[in-house]
Amino acid sequence: MRLLATTALVATALAGMALADGHATLPLKELPGIADRDYWVPGEVNASGKLEALQAVVGAEAVAFSGTLDNPIQIALIYPSADTSDFWARNYLALTKRLDQLGIAYETTEFASRQIEHSLQSTYANQVVQDADLYDYVIFGPSELAIQADNIDKMAANNDFSTYVWAFHTPLKDLENQPNAWFDFSSAAGALTMCDYMLGRLGSDVTMAMNRGIPGITDNQRSGDFKACVEEKGNWTTVYEHYGEYQREGGFEGTSLILQAYPEATTIHNANTAMAMGSVEAQVAVGKEKDVFSTGWGGTGLELDAIRRGELDATPMRMGDDVGAATAEAIKADLEGRADKLPLVFLGRITVAHDQMSADEIDALEQEAFRFSGVGALKR
């Protein structure tokens, strides 16, 4: 269903054409390692200055939508929001509250799954494509990028709505149809930020175990890049890697095994919030939470509360509401006929939150990160 605004309709259509042409000529530039990857990195697909411009808009006060709408825009969201992580719920709140600030009327339809329910997401994608005339925008949070590639391609090919992808920032080369935009935090950049912090905090020759997620791009970056960095720069040793499928129970089971079978591991890496929560639960159950240095991923409200309780030690913290707010700004730009001014890949900021921070420092980070979705663990 392509409405949309009663103003700037022609400009919007032309912007869409420009985007399509731009996607057809990817990459815009080549960076080291491009031949070895089946995806592009943001620097290869973003025109100079576009990412920084959108980041500036997202961090600033809202400027109201300049057009008018005959009806509220219709947004479908397909994402694993039934999982423990509050990442998805916060994205939704940031999206809708920024739309409210922008003065854009909207209605949403949510299709929830768990991270491991790949086939359910396929069912939802088929349903949205079948009912394409009902929607103006589809936001897709894939359970895993490679597994959901066909569904991304299918939705991006539909001209009745614009397709935005959440939680990934590596456009696949073999997609025949690129979505209109990708919104994420760079797991690769976050892994290197975390590597530098951990080497500075714990030093060299550390023995580590890992609760990894699901094999694929996200875990390769969050876990694989982190592991490679600390092993190369700090001579760390990894004694065990458990694939917990991003589930709380996976973190609990992996950590229980690590504590029993690999007592020499003094650090446990967790690749997402759910596994981090399961991991600290397993440690607390046997009184080991002070003996093991534990990390999470994302800096969600649940993780920050665990740091405050002394159960989690550090986490690469996303300025979490950037993704939802940026999506709202992308919708506004599309409605105003400025879609060609957007980056193909938007990236939010990442820093490290840790147990050596003062309460005021953690609070300040949290206020900035969750300026739309609110401070503190969300009630689910």
Side-chain angles (χ1 to χ4, degrees), residues 145 152 165 168 170-172 175 178-179 181-184 344-346:
L145 184 56
I152 294 173
V165 174
F168 289 92
T170 49
L172 295 172
L175 289 180
Q178 284 288 339
W182 304 69
F183 300 85
D184 194 15
L344 179 60
V345 179
F346 173 83

Side-chain angles (χ1 to χ4, degrees), residues 107-128:
E107 294 176 352
T108 62
T109 304
E110 294 183 78
F111 300 87
S113 68
R114 299 176 70 203
Q115 192 91 35
I116 57 176
E117 293 177 322
H118 309 301
S119 61
L120 181 57
Q121 283 207 329
S122 295
T123 299
Y124 289 153
N126 289 332
Q127 181 177 340
V128 165

Side-chain angles (χ1 to χ4, degrees), residues 195 198-199 208 226-236:
C195 170
M198 295 291 277
L199 292 175
M208 174 179 67
F226 173 74
K227 174 188 173 185
C229 182
V230 294
E231 288 182 348
E232 178 181 346
K233 294 183 177 180
N235 196 38
W236 285 32

